């Protein structure tokens, strides 16, 4: 999710093991319905005299059948397509894949082997498990999305496919009161196209169709127990945009390399801008510089809050704020062939209840009722209008606008550069653990 300036991460880790044709019962039964009867077919000898025992009519020994190895347990061993297998069933021991581990550099290099820092890190076991759980869901869903998204699909079909998959893998459909707060979407599926850089997802009735010449940013979050993994990538279907994507991916990785404990935000922004603006892209016979969108930032992530109190600029500047031990950040960069500056545009779809919402008297009953629904189902997690539709809410726009004007709910309208330009985005979530930096959302794809 993009933070607007001045206004306010292994390929799919799915087991490649294929299931057998026969069913395996939950108690370790054998495959294909065959049952092992043990030694019941052992040698049987005729009980006549010893002389007759060697006669031609004596029965020959039968070979003992080797016992079949029992299966190690029932259940799915690989993810489905589309993803519908609850992730915890694929990792029954509760140990999810770690992200990319990066040792701290320079004056922080001591942290890697310091026993005190290692001890502090071990105390964060639940915190890490939730983040890695969410990150693996993100990787599995996005790999499916990267393979399945094609021109000709509606944006609604794409968004709902991603969101249905996330809910299935967390095991929380979010239809019962409070269920979404346990796990599910940490940020609505952004599908921002071409000059639109961020915060666009289709509202009800939207019939927009993805075209072959489009540049689409896919940005969604997954949360487990309020630990939000925020990651994004850009999809194109024409190689003419390859350099634009390469510039933004390189810039995001430069920001991740630079980020760390006690690092100043200004230094991260400078590294990102240097990487991004070393690229050019040729579109329609014109060579265009790739510019950082200077009023979009990365951001810190708090528990149940995707926008924390710190911003990570993507251009050089004078921000001397430092990253600190134990913090979580979304390192995201945006490149553009336009002006490199975005403005609010188009119909708003993204919202979130403010953590510091004022206690005001709401005179409109629909606003009071809607606030109760938002609080019980989303808390301070971002949501979109389709999520309210899904919960059976209707005729809520008046109440929603009243909550926004009262300062209780924050609206996040789409952010767009000039028409005719193209924008791209890449994003990862990083954990500044006491002894190492973990790019928890990293995959083999990006």
């Amino acid at each position: 999710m993009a933070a607007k300036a001045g206004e306010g991460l292994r390929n799919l880790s799915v087991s490649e093991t294929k299931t057998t044709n026969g069913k395996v019962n939950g108690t370790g039964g054998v495959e294909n319905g065959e049952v092992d009867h043990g030694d019941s077919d052992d040698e049987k000898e005729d009980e006549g005299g010893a002389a007759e025992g060697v006669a031609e009519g004596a029965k020959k020994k039968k070979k003992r059948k080797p016992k079949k190895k029992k299966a190690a347990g029932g259940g799915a061993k690989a993810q489905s397509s589309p993803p519908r297998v609850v992730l915890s069933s694929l990792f029954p021991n509760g140990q999810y894949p770690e992200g990319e581990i990066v040792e701290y550099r320079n004056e922080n290099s001591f942290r890697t082997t310091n026993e005190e820092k290692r001890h502090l890190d071990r105390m964060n076991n639940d915190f890490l498990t939730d983040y890695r759980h969410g990150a693996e869901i993100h990787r599995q869903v996005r790999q499916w999305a990267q393979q399945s998204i094609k021109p000709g699909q509606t944006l609604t079909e794409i968004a709902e496919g991603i969101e249905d998959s996330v809910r299935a893998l967390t095991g929380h459909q979010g239809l019962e009161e409070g269920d979404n707060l346990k796990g599910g979407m940490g940020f609505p599926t952004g599908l921002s196209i071409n000059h639109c850089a961020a915060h666009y997802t289709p509202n009800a009735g939207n019939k927009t169709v993805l075209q072959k010449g489009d540049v689409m940013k896919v940005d969604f979050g997954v949360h487990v127990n309020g630990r939000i993994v925020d990651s994004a990538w850009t999809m194109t279907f024409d190689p003419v945009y390859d350099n634009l994507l390469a510039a933004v991916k390189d810039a995001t990785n430069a920001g991740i390399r630079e980020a760390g404990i006690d690092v100043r935000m200004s230094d991260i922004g400078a590294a990102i801008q240097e990487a991004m603006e070393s690229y050019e892209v040729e579109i329609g016979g014109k060579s265009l510089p790739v510019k950082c969108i200077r009023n979009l930032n990365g951001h810190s992530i708090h528990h149940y809050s995707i926008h924390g109190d710190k911003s990570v600029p993507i251009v050089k500047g004078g921000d001397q704020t430092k990253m600190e031990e134990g913090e979580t950040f979304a390192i995201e960069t945006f490149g553009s062939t336009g002006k490199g500056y975005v403005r609010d545009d188009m119909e708003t779809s993204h919202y979130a209840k403010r953590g510091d919402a004022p206690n005001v008297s709401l005179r409109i009953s629909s606003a009071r009722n809607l606030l109760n629904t938002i609080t019980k189902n989303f808390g301070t997690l971002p949501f979109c209008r389709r999520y309210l539709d899904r919960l059976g809410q209707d005729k809520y726009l008046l109440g929603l606008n009243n909550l926004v004007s009262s300062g209780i709910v924050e609206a996040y309208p789409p952010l767009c550069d000039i028409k005719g330009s193209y924008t791209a985005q890449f994003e990862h979530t990083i954990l500044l653990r006491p002894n190492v930096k973990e790019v928890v959302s990293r995959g083999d794809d990006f």
Side-chain angles (χ1 to χ4, degrees):
M1 180 180 184
K4 191 174 179 184
E7 296 181 12
L9 55 23
R10 213 183 321 247
N11 196 10
L12 168 65
S13 294
V14 179
S15 169
E16 296 291 323
T17 306
K18 297 184 181 295
T19 56
T20 58
N21 292 328
K23 294 182 180 179
V24 181
N25 66 41
T27 57
V30 297
E31 303 162 359
N32 295 322
E34 295 186 32
V35 180
D36 184 8
H37 294 286
D39 298 335
S40 62
D41 290 323
D42 280 350
E43 172 191 5
K44 294 182 180 179
E45 296 185 5
D46 185 39
E47 294 183 357
E52 287 107 4
V54 293
E56 290 182 2
K59 294 183 179 179
K60 294 182 180 179
K61 289 184 179 180
K62 291 184 179 179
K63 291 183 179 179
R64 293 181 60 179
K65 293 181 180 179
K67 289 185 178 181
K68 290 181 178 285
K69 292 184 178 179
K70 294 184 178 181
K77 300 300 180 185
Q79 190 52 262
S80 61
S81 179
R84 292 295 183 269
V85 180
V86 177
L87 191 74
S88 59
S89 70
L90 300 179
F91 295 89
N93 62 356
Q95 298 298 310
Y96 300 98
E98 63 183 17
E100 178 189 16
I101 303 299
V102 183
E103 294 183 358
Y104 291 119
R105 303 180 299 174
N106 304 325
E107 64 271 14
N108 275 319
S109 60
F110 78 95
R111 291 176 171 274
T112 303
T113 56
N114 183 274
E115 190 54 41
E116 179 185 354
K117 298 301 181 184
R118 289 162 66 90
H119 174 70
L120 286 173
D121 187 59
R122 287 192 293 270
M123 293 174 65
N124 289 329
N125 187 57
D126 291 343
F127 167 88
L128 287 174
T129 297
D130 287 343
Y131 263 114
R132 290 171 179 170
H133 188 173
E136 182 62 17
I137 290 173
H138 200 289
R139 279 189 291 269
Q140 294 196 11
V141 172
R142 77 180 187 233
Q143 186 187 55
W144 169 78
Q146 289 161 4
Q147 295 170 348
S148 67
I149 294 174
K150 298 288 187 296
Q153 290 181 292
T154 65
L155 298 192
T156 299
E157 179 185 359
I158 294 169
E160 290 181 348
I162 290 172
E163 291 161 357
D164 288 347
S165 297
V166 169
R167 295 183 184 113
L169 269 60
T170 60
H172 298 285
Q173 289 298 319
L175 293 173
E176 296 179 4
E177 193 174 281
D179 190 45
N180 186 66
L181 295 173
K182 300 174 183 176
M185 295 300 299
F187 180 69
T189 305
L191 300 173
S192 306
I193 291 177
N194 299 336
H195 72 289
C196 184
H199 298 174
Y200 183 90
T201 197
N203 288 323
N206 187 303
K207 299 186 185 304
T208 304
V209 175
L210 179 65
Q211 304 297 321
K212 184 177 180 181
D214 286 340
V215 178
M216 183 172 70
K217 282 67 62 184
V218 185
D219 183 358
F220 69 94
V222 177
H223 91 91
V224 174
N225 295 321
R227 303 300 180 183
I228 305 170
V229 175
D230 192 12
S231 185
W233 76 98
T234 301
M235 295 192 71
T236 62
F237 308 93
D238 188 333
V240 72
Y241 305 112
D242 285 356
N243 249 24
L244 172 61
L245 271 61
V248 183
K249 187 184 294 186
D250 190 10
T252 297
N253 286 330
I256 291 170
R257 282 193 301 272
E258 189 69 25
I261 296 171
D262 294 332
V263 176
R264 290 181 172 85
M265 301 299 182
S266 57
D267 293 336
I268 299 171
I272 289 171
Q273 185 173 18
E274 182 179 3
M276 178 91 72
E277 298 186 351
S278 65
Y279 286 80
E280 291 183 344
V281 57
E282 186 172 327
I283 300 176
K286 294 182 179 180
S287 184
L288 304 170
V290 180
K291 301 175 184 177
C292 291
I293 299 181
R294 59 187 181 274
N295 61 329
L296 290 181
N297 297 328
H299 47 91
S300 58
I301 299 175
H302 291 174
H303 197 205
Y304 284 106
S305 178
I306 198 164
H307 276 176
D309 56 347
K310 293 183 179 180
S311 294
V312 185
I314 63 174
V315 292
K316 59 185 177 183
D319 188 353
Q320 299 301 299
T321 304
K322 292 182 178 181
M323 290 183 166
E324 298 177 67
E325 179 182 311
E327 291 184 319
T328 301
F329 285 92
I331 304 296
E332 60 181 324
T333 71
F334 297 83
S336 175
T337 63
K339 289 187 175 181
Y341 189 89
V342 293
R343 292 179 172 84
D344 297 349
D345 196 5
M346 300 189 289
E347 186 178 53
T348 300
S349 55
H350 288 53
Y351 300 86
K353 181 183 173 185
R354 297 174 59 97
D356 59 351
N359 186 12
V360 298
S361 176
L362 296 170
R363 296 183 178 180
I364 301 176
S365 61
S366 62
R368 293 195 298 270
N369 294 335
L370 183 60
L371 178 59
N372 185 54
T373 297
I374 291 170
T375 300
K376 290 181 177 179
N377 290 279
F378 308 111
T380 53
L381 291 169
F383 61 93
C384 66
R385 283 161 57 176
R386 284 184 294 103
Y387 296 3
L388 296 176
D389 301 334
R390 187 170 178 266
L391 289 172
Q393 297 291 308
D394 60 357
K395 299 179 181 179
Y396 55 75
L397 279 180
L398 177 63
L400 183 57
N401 289 334
N402 184 243
L403 293 175
V404 172
S405 62
S406 300
I408 297 172
V409 169
E410 186 83 24
Y412 297 97
L415 303 171
C416 303
D417 203 331
I418 57 172
K419 289 184 178 180
S421 64
Y422 295 94
T423 61
Q425 172 196 19
F426 281 90
E427 175 183 24
H428 275 303
T429 296
I430 66 170
L431 312 177
L432 298 184
R433 293 165 52 187
N435 58 331
V436 291
K437 173 173 58 182
E438 182 170 349
V439 189
V440 71
S441 57
R442 179 75 81 189
D444 289 341
D445 49 353
F446 67 93

